[in-house]
Amino acid sequence: SRTTQLLQAFKKFQDKTFEEFSLDDFIAQFPEALATSEQDYLCDLYAQLMTMTRNSNQEEFHLILDQYNIREKLGTLDNMCDEMLEGSGGVPMTSTRPSTVVRQISCSMKQDEINKLHEMLSSLETENDILRPKLQNKLQELNAAVACLEAHQQAIEPLLQLRPSPEAAAC
């Protein structure tokens, strides 16, 4: 059905988008020492990020399909095409028949709906292209924060070692 084809096209688009940001790309956003020592954690974080993003995209796409009754419209288009094939008996219909004119008008309207869906999908692609750099920026900010925390930890560790123990302070 056309709905299945649309969902498959969206999945392909989504898969292609996620291929652009691989686990290796994600891990490369972190300092090498952290990436090595916390590889399992980063793999889990990446998997969670990808799953949540994929699910969110799918939910939003299904909401769009529901909001604009796209599934129903595509189902109607499928039925119209099936009826057109069955009604003609394999013989081309003349354009003077009223049913042919109605079908042509309906098919034109359905094609407009398909074009709108393509525009919406293109809009989602554009939005993903806009969001991808933002995600990368957030990851860079996260890396900077991690580096800052590591630097603070390294600066504080010597101070903690200089601090007298409670037993030494009692003497």
Side-chain angles (χ1 to χ4, degrees), residues 42-150:
L42 292 176
C43 288
D44 289 344
L45 181 62
Y46 174 80
Q48 182 181 10
L49 177 67
M50 291 296 111
T51 300
M52 288 172 49
T53 305
R54 184 179 295 276
N55 290 343
S56 176
N57 287 345
Q58 288 174 348
E59 286 176 21
E60 188 172 340
F61 188 69
H62 285 282
L63 286 174
I64 290 169
L65 293 179
D66 293 340
Q67 182 179 4
Y68 294 100
N69 296 325
I70 293 170
R71 286 186 181 105
E72 181 181 325
K73 291 174 182 176
L74 291 175
T76 301
L77 179 59
D78 283 337
N79 291 338
M80 289 172 55
C81 289
D82 290 343
E83 288 172 9
M84 185 180 292
L85 292 174
E86 291 172 9
S88 69
V91 177
M93 296 182 168
T94 64
S95 59
T96 56
R97 288 178 137 172
S99 61
T100 302
V101 173
V102 170
R103 284 186 184 119
Q104 288 173 344
I105 292 170
S106 298
C107 286
S108 174
M109 291 171 54
K110 295 304 174 184
Q111 186 60 47
D112 291 343
E113 287 292 326
I114 290 169
N115 292 340
K116 286 180 187 177
L117 286 173
H118 284 294
E119 288 174 15
M120 292 167 76
L121 189 58
S122 177
S123 174
L124 287 172
E125 276 181 333
T126 302
E127 187 176 346
N128 266 358
D129 290 342
I130 291 169
L131 291 175
R132 191 175 298 113
K134 290 180 182 181
L135 172 64
Q136 290 173 342
N137 286 340
K138 290 296 180 185
L139 287 172
Q140 289 173 350
E141 289 174 14
L142 177 63
N143 288 336
V146 167
C148 183
L149 286 172
E150 287 174 348

